[in-house]
Short mmCIF file of all heavy atoms in Angstrom, two decimals:
data_model
loop_
_atom_site.label_atom_id
_atom_site.label_comp_id
_atom_site.label_asym_id
_atom_site.label_seq_id
_atom_site.Cartn_x
_atom_site.Cartn_y
_atom_site.Cartn_z
N GLY A 951 -19.00 34.78 96.47
CA GLY A 951 -19.83 33.66 96.04
C GLY A 951 -20.37 33.74 94.64
O GLY A 951 -21.13 32.86 94.21
N ILE A 952 -20.01 34.76 93.87
CA ILE A 952 -20.51 34.90 92.50
C ILE A 952 -19.71 33.97 91.59
O ILE A 952 -18.48 33.92 91.65
CB ILE A 952 -20.41 36.36 92.03
CG1 ILE A 952 -21.30 37.25 92.93
CG2 ILE A 952 -20.82 36.50 90.57
CD1 ILE A 952 -21.07 38.73 92.77
N LEU A 953 -20.43 33.22 90.75
CA LEU A 953 -19.80 32.21 89.90
C LEU A 953 -19.18 32.87 88.67
O LEU A 953 -19.86 33.53 87.88
CB LEU A 953 -20.82 31.16 89.47
CG LEU A 953 -20.27 29.97 88.68
CD1 LEU A 953 -19.21 29.20 89.47
CD2 LEU A 953 -21.41 29.03 88.28
N PHE A 954 -17.88 32.69 88.52
CA PHE A 954 -17.12 33.15 87.36
C PHE A 954 -16.70 31.94 86.54
O PHE A 954 -16.49 30.85 87.07
CB PHE A 954 -15.85 33.89 87.79
CG PHE A 954 -16.06 35.30 88.31
CD1 PHE A 954 -14.97 36.01 88.81
CD2 PHE A 954 -17.30 35.91 88.30
CE1 PHE A 954 -15.12 37.31 89.27
CE2 PHE A 954 -17.47 37.21 88.77
CZ PHE A 954 -16.36 37.90 89.26
N GLU A 955 -16.54 32.15 85.26
CA GLU A 955 -16.06 31.13 84.33
C GLU A 955 -15.01 31.78 83.43
O GLU A 955 -15.13 32.96 83.09
CB GLU A 955 -17.23 30.60 83.49
CG GLU A 955 -16.84 29.62 82.39
CD GLU A 955 -18.04 29.21 81.52
OE1 GLU A 955 -19.19 29.59 81.86
OE2 GLU A 955 -17.83 28.54 80.50
N ILE A 956 -14.00 31.03 83.08
CA ILE A 956 -13.08 31.43 82.01
C ILE A 956 -13.30 30.43 80.88
O ILE A 956 -13.29 29.22 81.11
CB ILE A 956 -11.62 31.45 82.48
CG1 ILE A 956 -11.45 32.44 83.64
CG2 ILE A 956 -10.69 31.82 81.34
CD1 ILE A 956 -10.07 32.43 84.28
N ALA A 957 -13.56 30.91 79.66
CA ALA A 957 -13.91 30.04 78.55
C ALA A 957 -13.08 30.39 77.32
O ALA A 957 -12.76 31.56 77.07
CB ALA A 957 -15.40 30.19 78.22
N THR A 958 -12.75 29.37 76.55
CA THR A 958 -11.96 29.57 75.34
C THR A 958 -12.82 30.11 74.20
O THR A 958 -14.02 29.83 74.12
CB THR A 958 -11.31 28.26 74.88
OG1 THR A 958 -12.34 27.29 74.65
CG2 THR A 958 -10.35 27.72 75.93
N ASP A 959 -12.21 30.85 73.31
CA ASP A 959 -12.93 31.40 72.16
C ASP A 959 -13.39 30.30 71.19
O ASP A 959 -14.39 30.46 70.50
CB ASP A 959 -12.07 32.40 71.40
CG ASP A 959 -12.04 33.77 72.07
OD1 ASP A 959 -12.79 33.97 73.04
OD2 ASP A 959 -11.27 34.64 71.61
N GLY A 960 -12.65 29.21 71.12
CA GLY A 960 -12.99 28.16 70.16
C GLY A 960 -13.26 26.84 70.87
O GLY A 960 -13.09 26.73 72.08
N PRO A 961 -13.71 25.85 70.10
CA PRO A 961 -13.88 25.84 68.64
C PRO A 961 -15.10 26.59 68.12
O PRO A 961 -15.20 26.86 66.94
CB PRO A 961 -13.98 24.35 68.31
CG PRO A 961 -14.49 23.72 69.56
CD PRO A 961 -13.93 24.51 70.70
N GLY A 962 -16.07 26.91 68.98
CA GLY A 962 -17.21 27.70 68.54
C GLY A 962 -18.41 26.87 68.14
O GLY A 962 -18.38 25.64 68.11
N PHE A 963 -19.49 27.57 67.79
CA PHE A 963 -20.78 26.92 67.56
C PHE A 963 -20.91 26.24 66.20
O PHE A 963 -21.87 25.51 65.96
CB PHE A 963 -21.91 27.93 67.75
CG PHE A 963 -22.00 28.41 69.18
CD1 PHE A 963 -21.82 29.75 69.49
CD2 PHE A 963 -22.25 27.53 70.21
CE1 PHE A 963 -21.90 30.19 70.80
CE2 PHE A 963 -22.33 27.95 71.52
CZ PHE A 963 -22.14 29.29 71.82
N THR A 964 -19.95 26.47 65.31
CA THR A 964 -19.99 25.76 64.03
C THR A 964 -19.27 24.41 64.13
O THR A 964 -19.08 23.74 63.11
CB THR A 964 -19.34 26.61 62.92
OG1 THR A 964 -18.02 26.97 63.32
CG2 THR A 964 -20.15 27.87 62.65
N ALA A 965 -18.92 23.99 65.33
CA ALA A 965 -18.28 22.68 65.51
C ALA A 965 -19.18 21.54 65.05
O ALA A 965 -18.69 20.48 64.64
CB ALA A 965 -17.87 22.49 66.97
N ASP A 966 -20.50 21.74 65.14
CA ASP A 966 -21.41 20.64 64.78
C ASP A 966 -22.56 21.08 63.88
O ASP A 966 -23.44 20.27 63.56
CB ASP A 966 -21.98 19.97 66.04
CG ASP A 966 -22.73 20.95 66.93
OD1 ASP A 966 -22.75 22.16 66.63
OD2 ASP A 966 -23.29 20.50 67.96
N GLU A 967 -22.58 22.34 63.46
CA GLU A 967 -23.63 22.84 62.56
C GLU A 967 -23.03 23.88 61.62
O GLU A 967 -22.15 24.64 62.03
CB GLU A 967 -24.75 23.53 63.35
CG GLU A 967 -25.57 22.67 64.27
CD GLU A 967 -26.65 23.49 64.96
OE1 GLU A 967 -26.32 24.38 65.76
OE2 GLU A 967 -27.84 23.24 64.68
N PRO A 968 -23.52 23.96 60.38
CA PRO A 968 -23.07 25.03 59.50
C PRO A 968 -23.53 26.39 60.03
O PRO A 968 -24.60 26.48 60.65
CB PRO A 968 -23.74 24.71 58.16
CG PRO A 968 -24.31 23.35 58.29
CD PRO A 968 -24.51 23.08 59.74
N LEU A 969 -22.75 27.42 59.76
CA LEU A 969 -23.10 28.77 60.19
C LEU A 969 -24.51 29.15 59.72
O LEU A 969 -25.28 29.78 60.45
CB LEU A 969 -22.07 29.77 59.64
CG LEU A 969 -22.29 31.24 60.02
CD1 LEU A 969 -22.16 31.46 61.51
CD2 LEU A 969 -21.30 32.14 59.26
N GLU A 970 -24.86 28.74 58.51
CA GLU A 970 -26.12 29.16 57.90
C GLU A 970 -27.34 28.64 58.66
O GLU A 970 -28.41 29.25 58.62
CB GLU A 970 -26.21 28.67 56.44
CG GLU A 970 -25.17 29.26 55.51
CD GLU A 970 -23.77 28.70 55.76
OE1 GLU A 970 -23.64 27.54 56.23
OE2 GLU A 970 -22.79 29.45 55.51
N THR A 971 -27.22 27.49 59.33
CA THR A 971 -28.39 26.87 59.97
C THR A 971 -28.25 26.75 61.48
O THR A 971 -28.94 25.94 62.12
CB THR A 971 -28.66 25.48 59.37
OG1 THR A 971 -27.49 24.66 59.51
CG2 THR A 971 -29.03 25.58 57.89
N LEU A 972 -27.38 27.56 62.08
CA LEU A 972 -27.21 27.50 63.53
C LEU A 972 -28.56 27.69 64.24
O LEU A 972 -29.36 28.54 63.86
CB LEU A 972 -26.26 28.60 64.00
CG LEU A 972 -24.77 28.44 63.68
CD1 LEU A 972 -23.99 29.64 64.21
CD2 LEU A 972 -24.21 27.16 64.27
N GLY A 973 -28.78 26.89 65.27
CA GLY A 973 -29.94 27.07 66.12
C GLY A 973 -31.25 26.55 65.59
O GLY A 973 -32.28 26.65 66.27
N GLU A 974 -31.25 25.95 64.41
CA GLU A 974 -32.52 25.50 63.81
C GLU A 974 -32.98 24.14 64.33
O GLU A 974 -34.17 23.82 64.25
CB GLU A 974 -32.42 25.50 62.29
CG GLU A 974 -32.27 26.91 61.71
CD GLU A 974 -32.19 26.92 60.19
OE1 GLU A 974 -32.42 25.85 59.57
OE2 GLU A 974 -31.91 27.99 59.63
N SER A 975 -32.06 23.33 64.83
CA SER A 975 -32.45 22.02 65.38
C SER A 975 -31.72 21.81 66.69
O SER A 975 -30.78 22.54 67.02
CB SER A 975 -32.12 20.90 64.39
OG SER A 975 -30.74 20.91 64.09
N LEU A 976 -32.17 20.81 67.46
CA LEU A 976 -31.54 20.55 68.75
C LEU A 976 -30.15 19.98 68.54
O LEU A 976 -29.98 18.93 67.91
CB LEU A 976 -32.39 19.57 69.56
CG LEU A 976 -31.85 19.26 70.97
CD1 LEU A 976 -32.00 20.47 71.88
CD2 LEU A 976 -32.57 18.06 71.57
N ALA A 977 -29.14 20.66 69.05
CA ALA A 977 -27.75 20.22 68.94
C ALA A 977 -27.34 19.58 70.27
O ALA A 977 -27.61 20.13 71.33
CB ALA A 977 -26.84 21.40 68.60
N LEU A 978 -26.70 18.43 70.18
CA LEU A 978 -26.19 17.76 71.37
C LEU A 978 -24.72 17.46 71.18
O LEU A 978 -24.30 17.02 70.10
CB LEU A 978 -26.95 16.45 71.61
CG LEU A 978 -28.44 16.57 71.95
CD1 LEU A 978 -29.07 15.19 72.03
CD2 LEU A 978 -28.65 17.35 73.23
N PRO A 979 -23.90 17.67 72.20
CA PRO A 979 -22.50 17.29 72.09
C PRO A 979 -22.39 15.77 71.93
O PRO A 979 -23.31 15.03 72.31
CB PRO A 979 -21.88 17.78 73.40
CG PRO A 979 -23.03 17.91 74.34
CD PRO A 979 -24.22 18.24 73.52
N PRO A 980 -21.28 15.28 71.37
CA PRO A 980 -21.17 13.84 71.08
C PRO A 980 -21.46 12.92 72.27
O PRO A 980 -22.07 11.87 72.10
CB PRO A 980 -19.72 13.70 70.61
CG PRO A 980 -19.37 15.04 70.05
CD PRO A 980 -20.11 16.04 70.90
N PHE A 981 -21.08 13.35 73.49
CA PHE A 981 -21.27 12.45 74.63
C PHE A 981 -22.74 12.35 75.06
O PHE A 981 -23.08 11.51 75.89
CB PHE A 981 -20.38 12.87 75.81
CG PHE A 981 -20.60 14.27 76.32
CD1 PHE A 981 -21.56 14.53 77.28
CD2 PHE A 981 -19.84 15.33 75.82
CE1 PHE A 981 -21.75 15.82 77.75
CE2 PHE A 981 -20.03 16.62 76.29
CZ PHE A 981 -20.99 16.87 77.26
N LEU A 982 -23.62 13.20 74.51
CA LEU A 982 -25.05 13.09 74.80
C LEU A 982 -25.86 12.54 73.62
O LEU A 982 -27.04 12.26 73.76
CB LEU A 982 -25.62 14.47 75.18
CG LEU A 982 -25.17 15.06 76.52
CD1 LEU A 982 -25.78 16.44 76.72
CD2 LEU A 982 -25.54 14.15 77.69
N GLU A 983 -25.22 12.37 72.47
CA GLU A 983 -25.95 12.01 71.25
C GLU A 983 -26.69 10.68 71.39
O GLU A 983 -27.81 10.52 70.89
CB GLU A 983 -24.98 11.97 70.06
CG GLU A 983 -25.66 11.87 68.71
CD GLU A 983 -26.61 13.04 68.43
OE1 GLU A 983 -26.20 14.20 68.54
OE2 GLU A 983 -27.79 12.75 68.10
N ALA A 984 -26.11 9.72 72.09
CA ALA A 984 -26.76 8.41 72.23
C ALA A 984 -28.06 8.50 73.01
O ALA A 984 -28.92 7.62 72.91
CB ALA A 984 -25.81 7.43 72.92
N ARG A 985 -28.24 9.58 73.77
CA ARG A 985 -29.45 9.76 74.58
C ARG A 985 -30.44 10.72 73.92
O ARG A 985 -31.39 11.17 74.56
CB ARG A 985 -29.07 10.29 75.96
CG ARG A 985 -28.24 9.31 76.79
CD ARG A 985 -27.65 9.98 78.03
NE ARG A 985 -28.68 10.67 78.82
CZ ARG A 985 -28.39 11.61 79.72
NH1 ARG A 985 -27.13 11.95 79.94
NH2 ARG A 985 -29.36 12.20 80.40
N ARG A 986 -30.24 11.02 72.63
CA ARG A 986 -31.05 12.05 71.97
C ARG A 986 -32.56 11.79 72.11
O ARG A 986 -33.32 12.70 72.44
CB ARG A 986 -30.68 12.16 70.49
CG ARG A 986 -31.57 13.14 69.70
CD ARG A 986 -31.11 13.31 68.27
NE ARG A 986 -29.90 14.12 68.18
CZ ARG A 986 -29.90 15.46 68.14
NH1 ARG A 986 -31.04 16.14 68.19
NH2 ARG A 986 -28.77 16.11 68.02
#
């Protein structure tokens, strides 16, 4: 019953933010952006 996941290495966290400012603001994937 333990939950396992297999996940791809990419595209990664720079898909929507520059490396330099990762984590500084709330990031939402495109399908949630309209509900920001």
